[in-house]
Amino acid sequence: MPKYHQYQVVGRHVPSEKEPEPKVYRMKMWAPDAVRAKSKFWYFLAKLKKVKKTNGQLISCNEIFEKRPTTVKNYAIWVRYQSRTGYHNMYKEFRDTTMNGAVDSLYLDLASRHRVRASGVQIVKTAVIPSNKCIREATTMMHDPKIKFPVVQKIVRPPCKSLKTTFKYSRPSACLM
């Protein structure tokens, strides 16, 4: 189960006499829970528009689920992240069954390869892309319809349930002669 979930948060400025029907803002974001999603919403809205949590109003916060979470798809993610030297833009591709899984892989990838903290990552855009639009080698090598994976260690299984035991009465033979 992925750590990050996709949320749709909708909010606006508090209605006043000057502006009785303020503009409504909607953002899709990834967070571990709804509380963090709301917090991120106010963080980005304060940067983009003159709306803060104190003078704003939250309309709704809903989790977005995948339509087909059993089929493998190619995901493209555009990211802006903060490193030790400054801000950088990045495009990454992932192959996963859900967008949440791809975003989870993105956070793990950025943490391992670029030493980026989760708080320094801003997801700009996400998309499901067809196989012919993929450009990264790690993604395109999985598109071969005749792809095979070797079975490295074959486990001998008991032929029937009556021969299956949790504990063996003799030690395994590890002699390789």
Side-chain angles (χ1 to χ4, degrees):
M1 175 117 182
K3 180 183 174 185
Y4 292 92
H5 302 277
Q6 188 177 12
Y7 291 93
Q8 174 184 282
V9 186
V10 182
R12 65 177 184 174
H13 200 282
V14 173
S16 61
E17 290 178 15
K18 187 179 175 185
E19 197 176 4
E21 293 206 13
K23 197 173 182 181
V24 177
Y25 301 102
R26 177 180 69 97
M27 285 188 206
K28 288 181 183 177
M29 51 196 53
W30 281 266
D33 53 17
V35 176
R36 294 250 188 99
K38 291 174 198 172
S39 176
K40 271 188 171 183
F41 172 77
W42 291 120
Y43 171 80
F44 286 118
L45 200 60
K47 281 185 171 286
L48 297 169
K49 305 290 178 184
K50 287 195 170 184
V51 181
K52 296 189 295 182
K53 190 177 179 182
T54 53
N55 61 13
Q57 187 178 47
L58 201 70
I59 296 170
S60 70
C61 178
N62 307 318
E63 187 174 346
I64 299 171
F65 296 98
E66 199 81 23
K67 283 183 182 175
R68 292 182 202 88
T70 53
T71 58
V72 178
K73 295 172 279 299
N74 303 308
Y75 293 100
I77 303 175
W78 288 263
V79 181
R80 180 177 184 254
Y81 72 94
Q82 182 184 11
S83 70
R84 295 183 185 114
T85 56
Y87 285 91
H88 309 280
N89 295 320
M90 185 181 280
Y91 167 79
K92 288 202 143 306
E93 288 176 359
F94 294 97
R95 221 168 131 72
D96 209 310
T97 55
T98 61
M99 183 69 83
N100 293 346
V103 168
D104 209 41
S105 299
L106 168 84
Y107 276 100
L108 292 171
D109 190 58
L110 287 174
S112 63
R113 289 192 181 160
H114 303 279
R115 302 290 187 262
V116 178
R117 289 174 182 82
S119 59
V121 177
Q122 297 174 5
I123 297 172
V124 178
K125 181 181 165 185
T126 58
V128 178
I129 54 172
S131 298
N132 59 352
K133 298 280 184 194
C134 293
I135 52 176
R136 299 287 189 257
E137 182 63 33
T139 314
T140 55
M141 70 181 186
M142 295 295 187
H143 293 160
D144 184 16
K146 296 176 183 169
I147 192 167
K148 291 181 180 179
F149 298 100
V151 179
V152 181
Q153 181 184 8
K154 284 206 172 196
I155 299 167
V156 179
R157 299 185 59 90
C160 59
K161 195 171 181 179
S162 62
L163 296 174
K164 183 183 176 200
T165 59
T166 308
F167 303 105
K168 300 291 177 203
Y169 60 86
S170 63
R171 291 176 62 120
S173 175
C175 185
L176 301 170
M177 289 186 182

